Amino acid sequence: MTSGFPKTSPPEGVTEAEWRDWRWQMRARVRDAAALEGFADPVADERLAIEQLAQRFHFVITPYYAALMDPQDPDCPIRRQVVPRSAELQDPAGLADPLDEVAHSPVKNVIRVYPDRIAFCVNNECALYCRFCLRKRMVGEPGWAMKQRELETALAWIRRTPEIRDVLLTGGDPLVFSDDKLAWLLGELRSIPHVEIVRLGTRLPVTLPFRITDDLCRLLERHHPIWLNTHFNHPRELTAEAAEACDRLSRAGIPLGNQSVLMRGINDDPDTMRALCEGLVRMRVRPYYCYQAQLLEGTAHFRVPVEEGLALFRSLRGRTSGFAIPQYVLDTPYGKVPLQHPFFRGREGDDVIVESFDGRLWREPNPR
Ligand SMILES: *Cc1c(COP(=O)(O)O)cnc(C)c1O
Ligand code: SF4
């Protein structure tokens, strides 16, 4: 199952048992330039950004994820996801809350854009902080933490809103919670008859795969139907440890999906995207969405024009398994909008004209 995916190894002075212990990983997180030196040689621009952004969007990386960085290359696609650069300080167009999520919250941290489902930001903490995070405004910010009373208020809102059949637990990251807290939360949700499915949005299979313990999987299994979407962005994140975590979740009967973000210099070329998607399906993770990067503060250097994204996904069509290709989407305050090359070219008389993956036109008789 994990064959063909590289395994990480602990740095000197760290035992294999510590390395594989998620609580050790959380305690040993990299939080400043000095600690980063254990994994990479920070360049001047990174040092400057770490210092200048300290008060704005904190810098936190798990040792496991830091070990995936190229120590010499500041443009390494792993490193750019988590180590700040001064470009983050230069983004006149970016907004703190581009999807206007706060305005769509009937109660604190419940975001409702669709009639039947919600995103419920149960936790404002993550194992590490991604520089492109859509929820930068809340991740690591104490004011966005959910007190027990606030979680109960949100659960009461779900209980009295019978249209809600699908609850997406997100954050931050819900799996940073202890098993006990998760068991309580899932138990509460399961006691609401109209909540048909619970979804987890978590990056821990990518950033801290050791969190996916057998105990956690047994706990999740008791609350089915549970679906889980994770967030791999680059093929180098597909390690033996990540594959093991996904395998455990799959064996607990949880369907796994992936949501990535299309980012300049990280995954915006067809070969990288294809390697990511094909590696994911080898791990039995179905690529679900790939997001157009939002107009989010401090992320101008990651954004790719939509036309380039369309051409990239157009180029994958017909050249890999259909289920390896995610839906390219733009998220808006009105919901997610699918973006796709127009393979349907329109009607001519009683026929429709369509375009094949390799650019040939086909005419198909079509009733009016
Ligand atoms: C993405 C999202 C969902 C889930 O959307 P699906 O297309 O069903 O995966 C639900 N609510 C909000 C607010 C979202 O952003
Ligand atoms: S794991 Fe997700 S929520 Fe957490 S910092 Fe990264 S993108 Fe944001």
Side-chain angles (χ1 to χ4, degrees), residues 70-353:
D70 182 327
Q72 258 68 58
D73 178 11
D75 295 327
C76 154
I78 304 298
R79 197 154 148 179
R80 285 192 58 224
Q81 291 186 54
V82 287
V83 179
R85 299 296 291 267
S86 60
E88 268 185 57
L89 297 155
Q90 300 142 18
D91 181 6
L95 308 168
D97 182 10
L99 299 180
D100 220 5
E101 291 186 325
V102 172
H104 285 92
S105 299
V107 288
K108 182 177 170 183
N109 288 15
V110 168
I111 306 159
R112 189 187 196 183
V113 175
Y114 302 109
D116 68 325
R117 54 206 196 279
I118 53 167
F120 180 9
C121 299
V122 290
N123 188 4
N124 69 322
E125 279 303 330
C126 283
L128 52 65
Y129 298 167
C130 310
R131 306 319 299 177
F132 50 85
C133 178
L134 175 67
R135 306 232 168 85
K136 264 183 191 186
R137 66 175 190 281
M138 68 167 62
V139 168
E141 291 300 324
W144 290 96
M146 287 292 266
K147 298 190 187 77
Q148 182 66 19
R149 183 171 42 76
E150 292 169 328
L151 283 172
E152 285 165 9
T153 303
L155 287 165
W157 180 88
I158 298 170
R159 208 178 281 281
R160 65 170 188 269
T161 312
E163 305 87 75
I164 303 302
R165 46 162 283 282
D166 173 353
V167 174
L168 162 59
L169 300 181
T170 180
D173 203 309
L175 295 188
V176 171
F177 277 164
S178 68
D179 287 2
D180 285 349
K181 184 144 184 178
L182 267 174
W184 169 78
L185 184 60
L186 292 171
E188 287 293 306
L189 287 167
R190 274 287 159 254
S191 75
I192 304 175
H194 55 267
V195 174
E196 294 172 6
I197 61 167
V198 174
R199 293 199 248 183
L200 297 167
T202 173
R203 210 176 177 205
L204 294 195
V206 188
T207 59
L208 185 52
F210 311 120
R211 173 66 183 102
I212 312 302
T213 59
D214 287 328
D215 282 350
L216 175 68
C217 292
R218 273 194 294 272
L219 184 170
L220 296 177
E221 218 174 350
R222 286 200 302 274
H223 296 88
H224 269 313
I226 288 191
W227 291 60
L228 186 150
N229 273 330
T230 187
H231 179 172
F232 289 90
N233 282 326
H234 191 273
R236 211 185 290 167
E237 295 167 338
L238 305 173
T239 63
E241 290 86 346
E244 267 173 47
C246 292
D247 184 49
R248 256 186 228 125
L249 290 164
S250 287
R251 281 188 288 118
I254 303 169
L256 302 180
N258 189 67
Q259 308 192 146
S260 53
V261 182
L262 183 64
M263 284 181 286
R264 167 81 62 220
I266 292 182
N267 54 17
D268 65 336
D269 74 280
D271 289 342
T272 305
M273 184 57 77
R274 184 156 106 176
L276 171 65
C277 294
E278 291 179 352
L280 285 168
V281 300
R282 280 171 61 210
M283 288 188 181
R284 287 183 286 156
V285 178
R286 164 78 151 99
Y288 178 48
Y289 285 148
C290 181
Y291 289 94
Q292 171 67 13
Q294 303 293 155
L295 210 63
L296 176 81
E297 64 183 357
T299 61
H301 57 300
F302 286 127
R303 276 176 236 140
V304 176
V306 170
E307 293 86 345
E308 279 184 37
L310 287 173
L312 189 157
F313 289 103
R314 163 88 183 80
S315 78
L316 294 186
R317 180 61 50 194
R319 293 183 177 86
T320 189
S321 316
F323 58 77
I325 306 175
Q327 175 76 62
Y328 178 38
V329 291
L330 173 66
D331 209 350
T332 75
Y334 308 147
K336 293 176 179 70
V337 179
L339 302 172
Q340 201 185 27
H341 173 82
F343 291 101
F344 175 69
R345 300 277 291 261
R347 180 181 277 278
E348 275 180 22
D350 286 335
D351 298 340
V352 289
I353 313 293

Side-chain angles (χ1 to χ4, degrees), residues 36-90:
L36 180 61
E37 284 167 20
F39 297 92
D41 304 323
V43 295
D45 187 69
E46 290 172 316
R47 287 181 190 280
L48 179 81
I50 290 169
E51 206 173 287
Q52 298 208 338
L53 284 154
Q55 300 311 315
R56 303 258 309 267
F57 183 56
H58 307 287
F59 164 64
V60 181
I61 320 178
T62 54
Y64 162 81
Y65 196 77
L68 305 182
M69 298 189 300
D70 182 327
Q72 258 68 58
D73 178 11
D75 295 327
C76 154
I78 304 298
R79 197 154 148 179
R80 285 192 58 224
Q81 291 186 54
V82 287
V83 179
R85 299 296 291 267
S86 60
E88 268 185 57
L89 297 155
Q90 300 142 18

